[in-house]
């Protein structure tokens, strides 16, 4: 079930093996992204796009929204 978490939780989950997915547009991801993150743009987030993820590990989805 999705839930909002803070930066300390993100660090903990990544240390424990979670996968980090940035849903930024590809151009923004190329400019700057978090280390170890994979890019799956939000507009293409579907079952086929997420097939690369390990379903046995937690997934953290991240998007920088500065609006």
């Amino acid at each position: 079930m999705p839930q909002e978490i803070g930066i300390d939780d993100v660090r903990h989950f990544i240390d424990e093996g979670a996968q980090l997915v940035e849903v930024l547009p590809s151009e923004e991801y190329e400019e700057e992204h978090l280390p170890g993150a994979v890019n799956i743009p939000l507009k293409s987030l579907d079952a086929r796009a997420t097939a690369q993820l390990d379903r046995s590990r937690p997934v953290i989805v991240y998007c920088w929204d500065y609006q």
Side-chain angles (χ1 to χ4, degrees), residues 6 14-15 18 20 32 50-51 57 60-61:
I14 289 175
D15 288 346
L20 184 59
E32 186 174 1
T50 60
R57 295 170 44 209
I60 299 170
V61 178

Side-chain angles (χ1 to χ4, degrees), residues 31-53:
E31 289 176 16
E32 186 174 1
H33 60 271
L34 297 173
V38 296
N39 181 229
I40 304 175
L42 187 58
K43 290 184 179 184
S44 64
L45 190 62
D46 60 15
R48 190 184 74 195
T50 60
Q52 65 182 311
L53 300 175

Side-chain angles (χ1 to χ4, degrees), residues 2 18 40 44 55-57 63 65:
I40 304 175
S44 64
R55 295 198 181 272
S56 69
R57 295 170 44 209
C63 180
D65 186 0

Side-chain angles (χ1 to χ4, degrees):
M1 181 54 80
Q3 69 185 62
E4 187 173 326
I5 59 174
I7 188 67
D8 291 334
D9 290 326
V10 170
R11 287 184 180 123
H12 170 77
F13 286 124
I14 289 175
D15 288 346
E16 295 294 316
Q19 303 162 95
L20 184 59
V21 176
E22 289 200 35
V23 293
L24 300 167
S26 297
E27 301 79 29
E28 290 180 37
Y29 176 83
E30 291 299 325
E31 289 176 16
E32 186 174 1
H33 60 271
L34 297 173
V38 296
N39 181 229
I40 304 175
L42 187 58
K43 290 184 179 184
S44 64
L45 190 62
D46 60 15
R48 190 184 74 195
T50 60
Q52 65 182 311
L53 300 175
D54 180 347
R55 295 198 181 272
S56 69
R57 295 170 44 209
V59 175
I60 299 170
V61 178
Y62 171 81
C63 180
W64 173 251
D65 186 0
Y66 50 87
Q67 295 183 20

